Amino acid sequence: MLRELCALGLLAISVAEQVPFESPQNSDRYEFKWPIKDVAIIGAGVSGLLAYRALAEKDHFSKIKIFERDDAPGGNWHYSDETPQSIPIELGDTPEWWKGDFVPHLPEHYPFRKQYRVSSNETSKEELEKARISHRQPKPLWKTLRANTPAPQQQVPGYEWPKGVEWASHHSKVQRYLRSFASWLGINNGDDELDERVSYNTRVELVEKRFDENGKQQGWILTLRKFVRNDEGYEESYWQEYFDAVVVAAGRFNIPHIPPIEGLVDWQKRFPERIIHSRQYRFGGSVEGKNVIVVGASASAAGISQDINSFAKTSYLSIREHSDDPRAPVRRDTHLNALPRNTTIIGEIKKFHPLSDGPDIAEGRIELLNGSIITGIDHLIFGTGFRYSFPFLPQYHNSSVKGNAPVDSEEQPIVTDGSHVRSLYLDTFYIDQPTLAFQGQNVGIQTFVYGKYAGEAIARVWAGQAHLPSKKDQWRHFWRTVEERGGLKKGFQWLNNELNSRYLNLFVAWLNAAAVENGGKLLELPPDVSEEMDLWMKARAAGVSIDPDGRNDFASRSLETDVLDHHQWRKAVLDDW
């Protein structure tokens, strides 16, 4: 106890010296307008599981329930061979960009149930199966993918990996690890009494405010949908449930982003199976003997380039010359250093020339920014990232907001334009109505660790064991954060190693100060895995160099000059997957 209190004091001093952080304990308190007893969690990935654990450990709540659109826990770590459908590229530049995930469908009455019987018409069965797959949304994993963060760091605090597990774990082991954690919590699929605690195969179609007879908000209404196979074919059902508060733990790999390069829409319409996003990629054998361009310079693009290397006839990687954003938590070189030497780096694609009437995509001409023309390409795989989207919060989307538009009033129903998430206090609580909270939206964090402390903040605030500052002070903090991070734009959610540590220290200092004042369990500091991380970084650096004549035309130095730069390597290994 003495050690924890000393750590609390040191952290409080440390945090007090750091701008823009202020202790929420030292300002006017936000008062919730209704008691928070029933809580919904959207998503059963690691963030949702950690939110559930934090809430379930409190005696305060009457009902805690997770809704997961997939049929098992694990979020992005739940692999299957099933692939999602292509995203129409033309949606990306329109106000309807968010429809790339799903468009909520609402029946005229609740509850609603409809049975679809599979006829002898195979087209009907195929369409129903596509609808089921779209409902569960297969995750962006490929068959051979391994974690790019070592197991000692990618570990739920208080729930250790088995002894002897390899650090670069195959995705199947990460999936089993998270399933076992869900079982420990009693919410794995197949556990008893699931209906009360978790509902799998359930997509949240709509989250809307619930009002009392006087027109005052008293919580939230969730409209829910299932679409599952059964003995008679497929069953679709809708119903509604009421909650006092909602945790959005739906992840940040929502809508694939494919840049609207001139001519690409027409190419996709002609050859939809030859132009895919990394979310759809599964096997290297799918491009065996083909000429392939992978587009992108981050984790997915580099990983897929490695995976297809022994299968593809020719493997190109197209990257933008100025794609190495200095604000990014992970350097571009970190990903490019691992490419096989026979991967050919090419520059940015400028244009896809109009296709002839021929039956083969390989006849098409692809023009690079430097004027070069490439032909003979059989497949294009875009590892160009994702856009934030919450289709179940349609009133909180706004694709027209640009830059640092000022807040005209305290009513600010905007969360995302696809490039970032805004209007949140500490990237967690929705300031306009803090009974809506977000988990796991930052980039650069180690979700398995960070999620514990963000989840504890949500649980303790809603249980009355810690307090938020006034709405005015929350907005003031938010706009100071906007200024510190360079504006409301792509990268706003990025936390480098320093910011990640500062936020974790803030959570610990704030929640422990509240625990001392109100009574409650003190949080320990995040686990120290610096020794393991040093070993991991050295292993990744060993024997790796850049060959400017081979696979990285833009390299200006050898990685050998960076091997001893541990500070840079520590930044490079943060979770960017």
Side-chain angles (χ1 to χ4, degrees):
M1 175 65 75
L2 179 61
R3 173 183 175 275
E4 291 174 323
L5 287 172
C6 289
L8 168 63
L10 291 173
L11 281 171
I13 294 172
S14 174
V15 170
E17 296 173 348
Q18 295 171 342
V19 177
F21 293 130
E22 301 171 351
S23 173
Q25 300 297 116
N26 297 329
S27 66
D28 294 335
R29 294 178 176 180
Y30 175 85
E31 298 294 336
F32 287 97
K33 304 300 188 294
W34 60 85
I36 301 172
K37 292 293 185 178
D38 297 343
V39 179
I41 301 172
I42 303 174
V46 62
S47 293
L49 296 177
L50 287 167
Y52 180 90
R53 182 177 71 172
L55 291 160
E57 287 177 348
K58 307 292 182 289
D59 294 332
H60 175 83
F61 301 102
S62 302
K63 177 181 178 182
I64 308 161
K65 190 168 183 179
I66 295 180
F67 298 100
E68 168 58 53
R69 67 191 290 181
D70 208 345
D71 57 12
N76 273 342
W77 292 104
H78 179 208
Y79 173 83
S80 74
D81 289 344
E82 294 177 343
T83 58
Q85 298 179 41
S86 296
I87 298 299
I89 298 171
E90 63 268 24
L91 278 180
D93 277 348
T94 73
E96 296 185 331
W97 58 268
W98 57 272
K99 292 183 179 179
D101 188 351
F102 71 90
V103 179
H105 295 284
L106 305 176
E108 295 182 358
H109 59 85
Y110 302 98
F112 173 90
R113 178 182 177 276
K114 184 174 182 179
Q115 180 69 41
Y116 299 89
R117 289 179 172 78
V118 178
S119 66
S120 59
N121 186 335
E122 288 300 318
T123 302
S124 174
K125 182 177 180 180
E126 181 180 341
E127 291 300 317
L128 290 169
E129 187 63 6
K130 284 182 179 180
R132 183 194 65 80
I133 292 173
S134 177
H135 177 86
R136 68 162 289 258
Q137 198 58 279
K139 305 307 186 288
L141 295 173
W142 56 89
K143 193 78 169 180
T144 62
L145 184 139
R146 290 179 174 270
N148 64 0
T149 304
Q153 187 188 39
Q154 196 166 26
Q155 176 173 264
V156 173
Y159 194 81
E160 294 185 357
W161 279 91
K163 299 294 183 183
V165 68
E166 63 270 39
W167 284 7
S169 299
H170 186 261
H171 65 72
S172 60
K173 291 191 175 180
V174 183
Q175 178 183 348
R176 290 198 295 271
Y177 170 70
L178 291 175
R179 285 177 64 89
S180 69
F181 180 52
S183 291
W184 177 257
L185 298 174
I187 53 175
N188 197 357
N189 52 345
D191 289 344
D192 295 335
E193 300 177 356
L194 280 185
D195 287 345
E196 297 180 5
R197 295 173 294 181
V198 60
S199 181
Y200 289 106
N201 293 304
T202 303
R203 193 172 73 185
V204 179
E205 297 291 290
L206 188 63
V207 176
E208 55 188 333
K209 294 180 179 180
R210 183 186 183 196
F211 298 95
D212 63 15
E213 62 275 8
N214 297 317
K216 294 183 178 181
Q217 186 181 357
Q218 289 293 311
W220 303 89
I221 304 173
L222 270 62
T223 301
L224 305 156
R225 176 185 187 258
K226 280 181 181 283
F227 192 91
V228 296
R229 281 186 299 217
N230 58 22
D231 293 339
E232 300 177 15
Y234 295 80
E235 181 182 35
E236 180 181 31
S237 56
Y238 292 84
W239 72 102
Q240 293 183 321
E241 295 188 28
Y242 303 144
F243 293 90
D244 302 313
V246 179
V247 179
V248 179
R252 50 185 168 84
F253 298 93
N254 305 122
I255 297 180
H257 169 65
I258 297 180
I261 303 171
E262 182 181 351
L264 183 56
V265 170
D266 290 336
W267 279 49
Q268 186 197 43
K269 289 179 179 178
R270 281 282 304 279
F271 300 101
E273 295 181 357
R274 302 291 189 92
I275 299 174
I276 66 171
H277 188 270
S278 60
R279 184 177 71 166
Q280 299 166 272
Y281 174 76
R282 292 293 181 269
F283 313 100
S286 62
V287 296
E288 187 165 9
K290 305 297 183 181
N291 298 319
V292 185
I293 295 179
V294 179
V295 182
S298 196
S300 294
I304 291 173
S305 288
Q306 294 177 57
D307 199 53
I308 69 173
N309 190 264
S310 60
F311 296 95
K313 180 180 179 181
T314 306
S315 176
Y316 297 96
L317 181 66
S318 170
I319 61 178
R320 292 182 291 114
E321 186 171 1
H322 302 294
S323 61
D324 197 12
D325 193 325
R327 302 171 304 144
V330 181
R331 298 183 306 170
R332 188 181 72 176
D333 284 355
T334 303
H335 307 300
L336 300 184
N337 288 336
L339 293 177
R341 293 185 178 274
N342 60 341
T343 298
T344 302
I345 297 291
I346 61 175
E348 181 178 352
I349 298 174
K350 175 184 178 181
K351 178 181 180 180
F352 290 84
H353 285 253
L355 291 164
S356 68
D357 294 333
D360 194 347
I361 191 176
E363 298 175 1
R365 301 170 72 245
I366 300 172
E367 182 178 344
L368 304 183
L369 206 59
N370 63 9
S372 301
I373 299 293
I374 296 179
T375 60
I377 298 302
D378 302 298
H379 290 271
L380 289 114
I381 304 173
F382 284 84
T384 43
F386 294 80
R387 302 177 76 170
Y388 290 98
S389 180
F390 313 106
F392 46 84
L393 294 171
Q395 67 271 37
Y396 297 93
H397 281 279
N398 191 323
S399 59
S400 64
V401 174
K402 304 292 184 183
N404 293 317
V407 178
D408 295 325
S409 68
E410 291 187 346
E411 293 293 327
Q412 178 70 358
I414 298 170
V415 168
T416 185
D417 67 351
S419 67
H420 66 280
V421 185
R422 62 169 60 187
S423 303
L424 306 182
Y425 177 64
L426 299 178
D427 292 329
T428 304
F429 296 93
Y430 180 57
I431 300 174
D432 179 57
Q433 182 43 259
T435 56
L436 183 67
F438 291 75
Q439 266 269 60
Q441 300 303 316
N442 292 99
V443 179
I445 61 174
Q446 181 35 260
T447 312
F448 287 60
V449 176
Y450 192 95
K452 169 186 176 177
Y453 297 92
E456 284 288 344
I458 293 169
R460 296 187 186 204
V461 165
W462 287 352
Q465 298 174 355
H467 300 280
L468 295 174
S470 67
K471 186 180 290 189
K472 179 179 178 181
D473 285 343
Q474 290 180 56
W475 278 120
R476 184 165 61 90
H477 181 281
F478 171 74
W479 287 110
R480 291 176 65 184
T481 303
V482 170
E483 182 178 359
E484 181 188 58
R485 297 184 187 176
L488 290 170
K489 57 186 178 181
K490 179 182 178 182
F492 181 67
Q493 254 61 48
W494 293 350
L495 297 185
N496 59 24
N497 191 56
E498 179 186 0
L499 276 176
N500 178 74
S501 297
R502 286 169 63 188
Y503 268 81
L504 288 174
N505 287 345
L506 171 67
F507 282 131
V508 173
W510 165 34
L511 299 177
N512 279 355
V516 171
E517 177 183 343
N518 304 319
K521 181 180 178 182
L522 293 175
L523 289 172
E524 296 180 351
L525 297 172
D528 181 8
V529 293
S530 56
E531 182 177 354
E532 292 87 344
M533 291 302 296
D534 284 340
L535 290 172
W536 174 261
M537 291 183 286
K538 290 175 183 177
R540 294 189 71 182
V544 178
S545 62
I546 296 174
D547 179 7
D549 297 325
R551 54 191 168 83
N552 192 350
D553 298 337
F554 303 134
S556 59
R557 66 184 186 278
S558 170
L559 183 61
E560 293 171 356
T561 63
D562 291 341
V563 168
L564 298 179
D565 188 349
H566 293 287
H567 179 67
Q568 290 297 322
W569 273 102
R570 188 175 299 280
K571 287 183 177 180
V573 296
L574 290 169
D575 175 23
D576 185 46
W577 182 81

